[in-house]
């Protein structure tokens, strides 16, 4: 894990469904919106994204979309939702895993692949960054990538994640959590 002035930028790796936009629980599973018309951005999310961006934090969405592998959604349908969120929230990028468990990819959370891709592309210092998610897969992916983990409290039947570093009710609570990491960055520039 790098440290010091050349270590890179602070990122908030953000899960999409259930963090930025509402998930709809169907058959006991949180489900993504089916189309742009179905997107409901969660309260406080635009303001939290603005605060994080103004503080110099990269906003990198990392999202499992196994409906693509399952033939229940097309890449274009998923991308239309992502582009809408990029525009509405000023996100830096949305990284997508389109696979299912059987594909054995290295990007489906809880694997850290999406976070590592984002870190490489944007020069992120993982040790000072966070992963924010509403499911155990997000928290485990963050831990596997070496970032601080933040669980957005949910009550899905699958249960709570194992030992997140922080638990919050919404994205707004993540802003103060990142201030120490940003202070380190400023100090390192002196
Ligand atoms: Mg989610
Ligand atoms: Zn994948």
């Amino acid at each position: 894990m790098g440290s010091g002035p050349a270590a890179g930028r602070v990122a908030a790796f953000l899960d999409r469904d259930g963090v930025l936009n509402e998930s709809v629980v169907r058959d006991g599973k949180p489900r993504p919106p089916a189309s742009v018309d179905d997107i409901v951005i969660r309260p406080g999310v635009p303001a939290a994204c603005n605060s994080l961006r103004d503080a110099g934090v990269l906003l990198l969405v990392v999202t499992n979309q196994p409906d693509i592998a399952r033939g229940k959604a097309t890449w274009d349908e998923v991308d239309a939702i992502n582009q809408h969120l990029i525009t509405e929230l000023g996100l830096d990028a949305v990284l997508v895993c389109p696979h299912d468990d059987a594909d054995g990819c290295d990007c489906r959370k809880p694997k850290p692949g999406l976070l590592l891709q984002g870190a490489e592309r944007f020069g992120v210092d993982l040790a000072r960054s966070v992963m924010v998610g509403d499911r155990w897969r997000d928290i485990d992916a963050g831990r596997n990538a070496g970032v601080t983990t933040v669980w957005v409290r949910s009550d899905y039947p699958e249960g709570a994640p194992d030992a997140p570093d922080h638990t919050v009710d919404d994205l707004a609570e993540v802003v103060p959590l990142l201030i120490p990491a940003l202070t380190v960055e400023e100090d390192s520039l002196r």
Side-chain angles (χ1 to χ4, degrees), residues 11-17 20 58-66 68 75 78-79 81-83 85-86 91-99 105-109 111-124 126 130-132 138 141:
F13 292 99
L14 306 170
D15 176 47
R16 193 189 82 175
D17 305 313
L20 300 182
L58 282 163
L59 302 177
L60 303 179
V61 175
V62 288
T63 179
N64 284 355
Q65 296 296 332
I68 297 173
W75 184 275
V78 171
D79 192 53
I81 292 167
N82 295 342
Q83 293 303 325
L85 292 170
I86 286 170
L91 308 171
D92 290 288
V94 179
L95 295 101
V96 178
C97 168
H99 307 112
C105 71
D106 62 10
C107 49
R108 179 164 161 75
K109 295 175 288 184
K111 293 195 175 153
L114 291 179
L115 287 84
L116 300 181
Q117 281 175 33
E120 167 128 9
R121 190 164 140 198
F122 289 90
V124 170
L126 291 168
V130 296
M131 171 74 217
V132 185
D138 305 311

Side-chain angles (χ1 to χ4, degrees), residues 33-40 77 80-81 84:
S35 69
V36 171
D37 291 341
D38 268 356
I39 299 172
V40 177
E77 286 165 349
I81 292 167
H84 179 86

